[in-house]
């Protein structure tokens, strides 16, 4: 039976540390970290994610300003709001919850955010900075996954890492972070030949595919560390109720992997904790306080 990597416990510890840091920033520097959260439309999953982020901010003492815009909002109006937030000295982080409605170009929105306030780390200049090892704002899900891996394994150098998925928000930045840690990194995707054989080479296997239970138990090298990024809502065949599952067939994987993140309770809580981490870093950077 694998060791369970408890992302919730790690995220709680990280948030406790941040909470103390925020209290001392307020006391010593009169600096109150603040994030603006922009939600366009009524997508229920997006509303849930935004709610969870705002609640975490409240727990930690981060100010949050919510901007909930109707689904009919024009791209020009959204860009105007971002510009206003870019120039507001009291706002240190800007998060536009994705996806935005189809008539709005998400790349234009992401790249309109001041890179220093881009706490999601999706701006093209932050992606470029990560690619050349000059990290500024790093995307939260890969950053949280890396923290869990380092906590579990310590030094990652020389390990074979396979990242399944090449999205801009998870797969590519995850691969860049692992490369920075001197892993030998393979990025697999929908055109990869013999994916099971590629996965079996992995000391570290990161699944970011978006297909429930996609990675099979016999694709995993015995003893490997498995990070399951997937969040998929499926209907339980026995109870008929909806439940969350990952991209890894957990029931099979737990007998093979050395350690594995559960879903829920693995990477998900780390994503929100790292958003808090990025917001505090952004506030300190903008106030000229050394990290
Ligand atoms: P995307 O849909 O953007 O990317 C999925 C990737 O998986 C693509 O690169 C795609 O390849 C690859 N893929 C699809 N099918 C296959 C296949 N049959 N074999 C191999 N590779 C395949 O998803 P995201 O990266 O945004 O998200 C991935 C998962 O992570 C989702 O379940 C999402 O919900 C979850 N997620 C979880 C977060 C968290 O906080 N825990 C945060 C963000 C995402 P190709 O490029 O060739 O199409």
């Amino acid at each position: 039976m694998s060791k369970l990597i408890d992302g919730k416990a790690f995220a709680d510890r990280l948030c406790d540390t941040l909470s103390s840091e925020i209290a001392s920033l307020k006391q010593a520097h009169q600096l109150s970290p603040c994030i603006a959260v922009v939600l366009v439309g009524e997508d229920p999953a997006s509303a849930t994610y935004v709610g969870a982020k705002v609640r975490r901010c409240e727990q930690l003492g981060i100010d949050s300003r919510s901007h909930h815009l109707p689904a009919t909002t024009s791209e020009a109006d959204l860009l105007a709001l971002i510009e206003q937030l870019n120039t507001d000295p009291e706002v240190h982080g800007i998060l536009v919850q994705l996806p935005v409605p189809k008539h709005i170009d998400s790349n234009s929105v992401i790249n309109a955010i001041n890179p220093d306030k881009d706490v999601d780390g999706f701006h093209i200049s932050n992606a470029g900075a990560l690619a050349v090892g000059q990290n500024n704002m790093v995307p939260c899900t890969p950053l949280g996954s890396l923290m869990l891996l380092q906590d579990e394994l310590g030094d990652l150098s020389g390990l074979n890492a396979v990242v399944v998925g090449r999205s801009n928000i998870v797969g590519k930045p995850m691969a860049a972070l692992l490369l920075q840690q001197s892993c030998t990194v393979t990025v697999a995707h929908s055109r990869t030949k013999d994916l099971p054989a590629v996965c079996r080479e992995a000391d570290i296997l990161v699944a970011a595919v978006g297909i429930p239970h996609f990675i099979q138990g016999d694709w995993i090298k015995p003893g490997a560390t498995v990070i399951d990024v997937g969040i998929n809502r499926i209907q339980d065949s026995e109870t008929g109720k909806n439940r969350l599952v990952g991209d890894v067939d957990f029931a099979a994987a737990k007998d093979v992997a050395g350690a594995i993140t559960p879903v829920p309770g693995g990477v998900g809580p780390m994503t929100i904790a790292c958003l808090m981490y990025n917001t505090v870093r952004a506030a300190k950077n903008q106030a000229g306080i050394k990290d």
Side-chain angles (χ1 to χ4, degrees), residues 29-259:
H29 299 277
Q30 290 73 51
L31 176 64
S32 204
C34 171
I35 181 171
V37 181
V38 182
L39 174 63
V40 188
E42 305 300 332
D43 179 56
S46 293
T48 304
Y49 290 139
V50 164
K53 290 167 186 173
V54 168
R55 274 196 303 281
R56 230 357 169 179
C57 286
E58 282 165 5
Q59 284 169 7
L60 268 64
I62 292 177
D63 296 335
S64 65
R65 297 192 190 166
S66 294
H67 297 264
H68 190 175
L69 309 178
T72 51
T73 302
S74 68
E75 184 174 311
D77 283 350
L78 179 55
L79 293 177
L81 171 62
I82 291 171
E83 190 44 35
Q84 184 196 318
L85 297 170
N86 279 341
T87 52
D88 185 338
E90 288 181 1
V91 171
H92 306 107
I94 303 170
L95 179 147
V96 178
Q97 184 65 43
L98 299 177
V100 286
K102 286 196 168 47
H103 64 277
I104 297 175
D105 176 30
S106 55
N107 283 333
S108 303
V109 171
I110 291 166
N111 292 325
I113 297 170
N114 176 339
D116 293 331
K117 295 190 177 187
D118 170 38
V119 283
D120 258 338
F122 297 160
H123 190 285
I124 194 164
S125 77
N126 284 325
L130 180 63
V132 295
Q134 296 176 23
N135 303 6
N136 182 26
M137 288 288 144
V138 175
C140 303
T141 301
L143 179 60
S145 300
L146 178 68
M147 288 178 183
L148 292 179
L149 281 167
Q150 288 179 316
D151 189 53
E152 184 59 32
L153 297 170
D155 181 13
L156 307 183
S157 84
L159 296 177
N160 280 343
V162 174
V163 180
V164 189
R166 56 173 164 177
S167 72
N168 291 338
I169 63 170
V170 188
K172 283 182 196 143
M174 185 77 245
L177 286 172
L178 290 167
L179 193 57
Q180 286 179 8
Q181 297 304 315
S182 300
C183 292
T184 302
V185 182
T186 304
V187 182
H189 45 77
S190 65
R191 306 291 180 89
T192 297
K193 289 187 181 140
D194 199 355
L195 183 60
V198 172
C199 291
R200 280 185 207 111
E201 294 297 315
D203 302 311
I204 294 170
L205 181 60
V206 180
V209 187
I211 303 175
H213 298 152
F214 178 68
I215 305 283
Q216 306 296 300
D218 64 359
W219 299 11
I220 296 169
K221 178 175 170 177
T225 303
V226 178
I227 301 291
D228 189 351
V229 176
I231 299 182
N232 309 288
R233 198 172 291 277
I234 63 162
Q235 202 177 37
D236 191 288
S237 54
E238 283 169 20
T239 64
K241 287 188 181 155
N242 280 340
R243 65 187 179 98
L244 294 182
V245 299
D247 289 346
V248 178
D249 180 356
F250 183 83
K254 70 178 185 351
D255 293 330
V256 191

Side-chain angles (χ1 to χ4, degrees), residues 266-285:
V267 174
M270 287 304 293
T271 297
I272 299 188
C274 286
L275 178 68
M276 306 295 116
Y277 174 85
N278 278 349
T279 304
V280 173
R281 277 203 52 227
K284 286 170 70 178
N285 287 345

Side-chain angles (χ1 to χ4, degrees), residues 6-14 265 269:
D6 189 342
K8 185 176 178 311
F10 191 106
D12 285 344
R13 287 199 300 277
L14 176 58

